[in-house]
Amino acid sequence: MNRLTVNIKNKYFPKDGCDEIFTAIKDLYFELSNNEFICIVGPSGCGKTTLLNAIAKLDDDFDGSITMDNESLNENISYVFQTPRLLPWRTVLENIHLAVGEDSALSSITDILQQLGLGDNLHSYPHHLSLGMQRRVALARAFCVPSKLLLMDEPFVSLDQSTARKARQLLLDLWEQQSRNVIFVTHDLNEAIELADRILFLSESPSTVLDDIKISIPRGERTSDNIAEFKQQLKVSNPAIQHLI
Amino acid sequence: MNRLTVNIKNKYFPKDGCDEIFTAIKDLYFELSNNEFICIVGPSGCGKTTLLNAIAKLDDDFDGSITMDNESLNENISYVFQTPRLLPWRTVLENIHLAVGEDSALSSITDILQQLGLGDNLHSYPHHLSLGMQRRVALARAFCVPSKLLLMDEPFVSLDQSTARKARQLLLDLWEQQSRNVIFVTHDLNEAIELADRILFLSESPSTVLDDIKISIPRGERTSDNIAEFKQQLKVSNPAIQHLI
Amino acid sequence: ESTHPIKISVLKFGTINWTLETIKNSGLDEKNNFKLIVQPLASTQASKIALQANATDIIASDWTWVARQRGSPSNYLFAPYSSSAGSIMVPAQSTIQSIDDLVGKNLGIAGRALDKNWLLLRTLALRNGIDLNKAATKTFGAPPLLNNLIQRNELDALINFWHYSARLKAKGYRELISTHGIIHQLGIHTTVPILGYVFNEEWANKNTIQLNGFLSASREAADLLCTSDKHWNAILPLTRAKDKTTQQMLRNGYCKGRITHFGQKEKQAISDIYTLLYKVGGQKLIGSVKTLDPNLFWNETQH
Amino acid sequence: MSRSSFLNSSLSLGLLLIIWQLIAVMLDTSSLPTPILVFDTLLAELNNGELVHHLGITLYRLTISFFLAMFLGVAIGLILGRHEKLNLFFDSWLIILLNIPALVTIILCYIWFGLIETAAIFAVVINKLPNVVVTIREGARNLDEELIEMANAYRFGRNKTLFHVILPQLYPYIMAAARTGLALIWKIVLVVEMLGRSDGMGYQIHLFFQLFDITSILAYTVAFIIIIQLIEVFILQPLDNRSQRWK
Amino acid sequence: MSRSSFLNSSLSLGLLLIIWQLIAVMLDTSSLPTPILVFDTLLAELNNGELVHHLGITLYRLTISFFLAMFLGVAIGLILGRHEKLNLFFDSWLIILLNIPALVTIILCYIWFGLIETAAIFAVVINKLPNVVVTIREGARNLDEELIEMANAYRFGRNKTLFHVILPQLYPYIMAAARTGLALIWKIVLVVEMLGRSDGMGYQIHLFFQLFDITSILAYTVAFIIIIQLIEVFILQPLDNRSQRWK
Ligand SMILES: Nc1ncnc2c1ncn2[C@@H]1O[C@H](COP(=O)(O)OP(=O)(O)OP(=O)(O)O)[C@@H](O)[C@H]1O
Ligand SMILES: Nc1ncnc2c1ncn2[C@@H]1O[C@H](COP(=O)(O)OP(=O)(O)OP(=O)(O)O)[C@@H](O)[C@H]1O
Ligand SMILES: [Mg+2]
Ligand SMILES: [Mg+2]
C-alpha cells in the first residue's frame, strides 16, 4: 500500500534566551499513498523544512506520529536538503557512493551525473564546484539511492532554466521507473503544478494545511499554457491561498 | 560618472589533483555607469559567482582589471552572497550592525527588517531561522550598507512569491532613493526583465558575454503580460541565447 | 656594614640544614662576623643551578662534581663538611653476606650509573673477578622511591645515601658494607670527607674572613648538635623522623661524619679514589679533568 | 551551577572517592593513603597556614604565565596559521621549542636571569607557549573562508574581523588550549619551583617526595584540584554556555 | 619535500644556529655551549653507540604510549563530546586526572606494578590521555550537525559516519593533539625514565644533569628533535597535505 501518514500535533522550538516557546507546526495532518507525488507550498519560515526533518526522523522531538502503513517509518529514504550537504573532503563520486553503498553500479551513477551536466566533475571536490553544481550533486545522490520515500526541499533553485528543465524530467522519469512517494517543497507554483499529483498549501507558522489541491491536468498535457490557466482558476476558486500564487 | 569597467582577460582555477587548469572566464568585458541596474543570466557553473567575487576584490588572482572611473575600485560595496553568510554567533541585529557600522540609525535597520517580515526575529541567532529567513537577513544587511555598488548573487531564491515580490519592490525603492550601480545574478528571466536596465547573457565556461540586451519596456509598465511578450520577442530575435530563456 | 651576609642554598630537609639552623639559633654567625642567609631548595640540582646563576655564595656538593667543573669559566673550591657516606643495605634475614652474594640479585641503586658508591662497589667486586654491572640486576631510581621498594621486597639490596640508609637501619635492615668500608678494602686506609661546602674561588678570595668564620661556625654548630640535647631537640622537626630509633640513627650518623682533621693524607686519599673512579666511571664522570687538581681544596689555614 | 548539575558532580565525585577508598584499603600501603587521611592532612596544612602560603604563590605564578602564554600563543598561532610562508619558515623553530626538555629551558632561564621570579615565570611561558601556538595554528588553518570573505566584502577592518569573525571560530581551540594549558602549566610550575624557588607547591611537593610522604603530596594536589574545579565550574563552564548560546 | 621548502627550512635552521652561536658566545658560560660543541658531542655519542641505544628505547616507549594515548583519547573524547550527560558526570574525573602531578602518577604506577616496562608506559599514557580527551572533546562538541543529519538520513551507519563524517572534521583537533602530544609524551617519558628506569634518554639526560653537563643534554635533545623533525616532514606534513587537498 505504501501509505504514509503524517500527523504532527505540535512541534515547537525554545525561543532564544527566554523560557517562551515558538510553535512551528500545529495540527498538521496529511496522507499520501500509492507512490503519490505531492508538492508543498508555503510561506518562507512556515515550517516546511521542519516538517521534512520530522518525516525523515532527523528530529523526533514533537507530539504526534509519522507512520508508513501504520508502522513507524523504517525504510530507507532519500532527502535533498535545502543546502547541498556534501562531505567537502570526498569527491563527487565518493559522496554518492557513500550514500548509495559500495555494491551499486558505477555506470548508473555516472549516467545520472552526466544527465545533470556533471560528467566532467566526477572526481572534483565540492569546494571546487559552483553552488548550482553542488546542488546537482546532491540531487544525483538522492536519485541514486533506492528508497520508498523521496524528500526534496526546494531542489531546483540556483539552476538555470534548461538545467532545471532537465532535472525535472529526470525526476519524473525516475519516479516512473522506481515508483515511490515523493514530497517536494517549492515556492514555484508553476513547477508544483507541472510535477505534482497534489499540492498542499501551508499556512504561516504555526503551520497547518490550508488547502489540499488535486492537479486535474493529465500528466501529458501540462504545457505552460495549461499550467497558467490552472493557476488562474485556482486564484479565483481558492481566495484563501491567493497570496501564495 | 560612476562608471564601472569590468575587463577580465583570463581567470582560471587549478584542476584537482593534476597540473591542468580550468578556465572559468575568458575575455569578459562590460561596463556600467550612471547607477545602472544590470542582470546577469548564465548557465549554472559558468562563472557568475567567480565574476562577482572578482568585482568585489575578494579574488584578485586573474588577468585583467576592474576599475571605477578609471581607478581601481576602493569604495564600499554591498554583496548579497549566494549563501547567507551570517555570523552564527551574532544575532540578526548584531550581524547587520557589524556590516553597517555602529553609527547607523537603528530605526532604519528595523524598518527594513520589518518590511522583509523579520520584525519578530531581531534578536534571533541565524541557526534558529529558516534558510529563507537567513537569506532575508543577508538581503537586509546589503540594503542597509550605504555603497556605490550593490552585488547580488541570486538573492531571491528560497523566498515564497509574496515575500519575493516585496523584496523586489524594496530593492527598486532603495535603488531609487540611494542610486548606485547594481549587478544582479539570476536564473529567472522574468525577474531579470522586471528589474534590469540591461541583461547580460553569459556563455558556458570559459564564459564571455553572449549578448547584452537593453530592456525597452519603461519601468512603470513591466506587467507580467508585457514581460512575457518581451521574452517571446527575445527568443525569436536572439536565437543564440534561446537555451537560457 | 659590620656583618657581612653569606648566602647559602641547601636542601630544606638535608643534614646541612641542621647545622645551619643551629648556627642561626645560637647566633654563631654574628659571633663570627657574618650574617647567614639560608635559601632552602627542593633538590640538589636546584642548588647547583643557584651557584651557576650567581644567586648564592655557597652550596653543598661532593668533590667529584667540583673536580669536573674545574676549567669551566668559574673555578669552584671545596671545603670538607662531612664524611657520612652511603652504604649497601639488605633486609635483616637476607642471605646476602658479602659483596660476592650480590651476583644475580636485584640491586637498587640511588642516583645514577655514575653514583660514587656504585662505582666504588663495582671496583671492589671487579677485584674479586665479578662484573656487577652485568652480574646483578640493576634498578636505578630516585632514593625515596627505592627505599620504599626495598621495604616492599622488590629489591634484594640497596645502595643509598647515608640518611636514607639510616632510616632503613632504624627499621632493622642490615648494613652490608658502607662506602668507607669499600674504600678500606680497596686499600685506602683513610676516612675521607664526602660532602663539603662549594663556592666560587673568586668569591672566596674576596671574602676569606667571613668564609673562614662560617666554616668554624659550622664546626661549632655540629659539635653543639652532638653534645647538647637542647640543640638537637631544636632541629628535630627538620629530620622529619617520627620514631626515636630513627632519630638516634640519624644523630649517630651525623656525628660520626664530622670532620676532625683534613690534611695532606686525606687529600692524597681523595686523589687516589679519584683515580680509581676514573677507571670505572671514565670520561663521563670526570669530564676532561683526568687527575684531581690539588688546588681544588680550600685551604683554611693558609689564608 | 544548577541544582541537578550540582547533584551530578557530587555523585561523580562520591563515586571516585569510594573507588579510591576501596583501592587504598585493598592495597594497604603507605604509598596510597585513604582519602580520609589525605583530607585530614589537608585540613591540618590549611590550619597551620603553610598550604595557603604556597598555594597562593603558585597560583600567582600560574595566573601570570597562563595569561602571557595564552595571549602570545593565540597571536602567534593565528599569524602562523594564516600565513603559509611564515609558517614554513618558523615551523622547525616551533618543533624545537616544543621538544626542548623543560629541564633545559628552566636551567637556562635561571642561569640567564638568576634565581628570580621573572626567570621562573619566563621559563613556564617558554614551555607552554609552543603548545598553545600549535593548537591555535590548527584552528587558524581551518577557519571558514566564506565568513572571512564576507567580512572583507563589508570592509569590517582588522579589529572587527578578529573579534567577531575569527576569535569566535577559534573558541573551541582556545578552550582546548586553556583547559589542557592550566594543567600543563601547573605541572611545569612544579618543576620550575623544584629547581629554583624556595616556596610554592612544587617546592613543597618535592620536599615531601624526598620524605616519601605521599599523603602530603596528595593533600597538596587535592587542594590544587579543588581550585581548578572551581575555575572550571565558575569561569570556564559559564563561558562555554554563554558562547555556545547560538547553537 | 619540494626543493623550495627544503631551502626554506635550511634557511630557517641556519638562522637559528647563528642566533644560538651568537648568544652562546655572548654569554660564555658552560651552561650554554656553542652549537659546534654540541654537534661534536652528538657525533661522539653516536659513534660510541650509547645514544642510539637509549634513543631507540625511548622511541619504543614513546611510540607505544603515543598510539595508546591517542587511540583511547580520541575514543573517550568523542564519546564525552557527543553525550552531554556522560560528560557532566566524568568532567570532574577528567579534571582530576589532568591535574595530578606527573610525579604522583608515576610513583603510584611504579609502586603498583614495580619498576617494570609496563609501569613506565602506563604512567606515560595516564599522563597524556586527559590532554587528548580534552582537545578531542572540544572538537566533538563543534561538529557540523548538518552533515551528521545527512549521514543519518542516508543511513550511513556507525562506521561510515565515524570514518567519513566525524573523523575528517576532527582532523585539526587530532593533529593538534598529535603535535603537542609527541612533545608532551617525550617530556613525560623523560621524567618516567628519570624516576625508575635504567635506560632511555630520560635516564641519560638526568645523569648528565647531575654532572651539570649541559652540552651532552643538548646533544641528546638535538638527536631527539631531529627525529621529530623527520616525523613532521615525512609523516605529518604529507598527511596534512593529503587531507587538506579538498580545500
Ligand atoms: N575554487 C575552485 N577551484 C576549482 N574550480 C572552481 C573553483 N571555484 C569555482 N570553480 C569552477 O569555476 C566554474 C564557475 O564557478 P562559479 O561558482 O563562478 O559558477 P556560477 O556561475 O556561480 O554557478 P552557479 O549558478 O551554479 O552558482 C565552475 O565550473 C567551477 O567548477
Ligand atoms: N533550531 C531552531 N530554534 C528555534 N526556532 C527554529 C529552529 N529551527 C527553525 N525554527 C523556526 O521554525 C520556523 C520554521 O522553520 P523552517 O526551517 O521549517 O521553515 P521553512 O518553511 O523551511 O522556511 P524556508 O522556506 O525559508 O526554508 C521558522 O520560523 C524558524 O524561525
Ligand atoms: Mg526550509
Ligand atoms: Mg554561483
Side-chain angles (χ1 to χ4, degrees), chain C residues 45 48-49 52 65 68-69 72-73 111-114 138-142 145-146 148-149 152 154 284-285, chain E residues 28-31 45 50 107 110-111 114-115 193-198 203-204 207-213:
Chain C
Q45 264 62 39
K48 289 175 187 167
I49 295 174
Q52 303 238 332
W65 186 74
R68 191 177 204 281
Q69 295 299 313
S72 66
R112 302 287 126 181
L114 296 182
K138 301 166 291 177
T139 304
F140 298 100
L145 185 61
L146 291 174
N148 187 273
L149 283 175
R152 295 160 54 83
E154 303 215 5
K284 264 221 182 100
L285 175 67
Chain E
D28 188 28
T29 144
S30 65
S31 359
E45 292 281 322
E50 282 232 38
I107 295 172
Y110 276 144
I111 288 179
L115 288 177
E193 288 176 345
M194 162 181 86
L195 286 179
R197 298 274 68 201
S198 311
Y203 170 80
Q204 284 290 95
L207 192 60
F208 295 133
F209 183 40
Q210 283 186 336
L211 307 167
F212 228 83
D213 180 355

Side-chain angles (χ1 to χ4, degrees), chain B residues 169-184:
Chain B
Q169 196 50 51
L170 195 62
L171 170 60
L172 288 178
D173 290 352
L174 205 91
W175 178 59
E176 245 138 62
Q177 281 162 32
Q178 311 165 20
S179 28
R180 49 184 130 179
N181 290 324
V182 179
I183 303 180
F184 186 106

Side-chain angles (χ1 to χ4, degrees), chain E residues 3-14:
Chain E
R3 185 187 283 191
S4 85
S5 86
F6 178 76
L7 198 77
N8 200 310
S9 33
S10 315
L11 260 179
S12 131
L13 284 178

Side-chain angles (χ1 to χ4, degrees), chain D residues 28-201:
Chain D
D28 188 27
T29 143
S30 67
S31 2
L32 187 61
T34 64
I36 297 163
L37 200 59
V38 170
F39 283 100
D40 273 354
T41 315
L42 178 61
L43 287 183
E45 293 281 325
L46 269 179
N47 280 337
N48 73 19
E50 281 233 38
L51 175 56
V52 178
H53 169 70
H54 292 291
L55 184 59
I57 285 173
T58 295
L59 283 181
Y60 160 77
R61 289 179 190 137
L62 194 118
T63 313
I64 295 188
S65 22
F66 176 78
F67 283 107
L68 262 179
M70 287 301 289
F71 179 77
L72 290 175
V74 170
I76 298 176
L78 195 52
I79 292 172
L80 291 187
R82 301 301 296 169
H83 299 278
E84 196 43 44
K85 288 229 175 99
L86 274 184
N87 183 38
L88 268 180
F89 192 83
F90 286 111
D91 192 44
S92 40
W93 293 38
L94 200 59
I95 291 176
I96 291 171
L97 212 55
L98 206 53
N99 289 295
I100 293 183
L103 202 59
V104 175
T105 42
I106 293 171
I107 296 174
L108 288 182
C109 281
Y110 276 139
I111 287 180
W112 222 324
F113 300 107
L115 252 58
I116 54 172
E117 206 58 30
T118 326
I121 288 173
F122 192 75
V124 178
V125 172
I126 285 276
N127 267 289
K128 168 65 186 160
L129 187 61
N131 283 55
V132 184
V133 171
V134 165
T135 307
I136 301 296
R137 187 179 61 175
E138 294 294 337
R141 278 183 186 153
N142 287 280
L143 292 178
D144 185 339
E145 297 299 331
E146 297 213 326
L147 290 182
I148 293 179
E149 278 184 7
M150 186 278 290
N152 287 344
Y154 282 107
R155 314 282 188 257
F156 271 31
R158 191 176 284 266
N159 280 345
K160 260 197 209 170
T161 308
L162 182 64
F163 288 109
H164 298 281
V165 184
I166 294 179
L167 287 186
Q169 290 187 62
L170 286 184
Y171 181 81
Y173 296 89
I174 295 176
M175 282 316 266
R179 286 206 162 94
T180 61
L182 269 179
L184 184 62
I185 288 190
W186 149 246
K187 289 178 185 180
I188 301 168
V189 166
L190 289 189
V191 183
V192 169
E193 288 176 344
M194 166 183 84
L195 286 181
R197 303 274 67 204
S198 306
D199 45 19
M201 306 284 276

